[in-house]
Amino acid sequence: MKIQFTRAQAQDAIKAVASHAAVKANLEVLSHIHVAVTPGRMLLTSSDFAMEMSAPVAVDCTETGAFTLPAKRFASLVAGFEKSATITLDVDGTM
């Protein structure tokens, strides 16, 4: 699955959701962002069990799927790109 979006489209959503992810979590998955992709849309979600935060991002993708990414690392990587940069996530489903 290939997901494309611009930094400008996603920066605010990624920043907000990543800031909500637990920094020192007992479960590692709580420090991740859950990414649910449907055609044309990516929903980013983080949770600390007490509260959940979600933010949608418009993307170019024709497939569906879901995966997690380390919140702070993903936010840091995206922030490092130029504002007009196009970012492509290529998810192949293997670990």
Side-chain angles (χ1 to χ4, degrees):
M1 162 178 27
K2 281 195 177 191
I3 307 161
Q4 285 192 323
F5 55 92
T6 64
R7 178 183 177 253
Q9 286 174 296
Q11 180 63 39
D12 290 340
I14 293 169
K15 193 173 177 182
V17 173
S19 69
H20 181 71
V23 175
K24 294 182 181 180
N26 291 339
L27 299 172
E28 185 178 348
V29 74
L30 294 178
S31 65
H32 285 219
I33 294 175
H34 180 262
V35 182
V37 182
T38 56
R41 183 173 176 246
M42 174 171 73
L43 183 65
L44 307 171
T45 304
S46 66
S47 174
D48 63 2
F49 278 135
M51 199 167 31
E52 180 177 285
M53 176 178 271
S54 295
V57 177
V59 297
D60 291 328
C61 185
T62 57
E63 298 179 58
T64 63
F67 54 92
T68 65
L69 292 169
K72 301 300 179 194
R73 187 180 305 167
F74 182 50
S76 177
L77 285 170
V78 171
F81 287 103
E82 295 179 15
K83 287 188 179 189
S84 61
T86 298
I87 299 168
T88 302
L89 299 178
D90 192 1
V91 182
D92 68 3
T94 61
M95 296 183 83

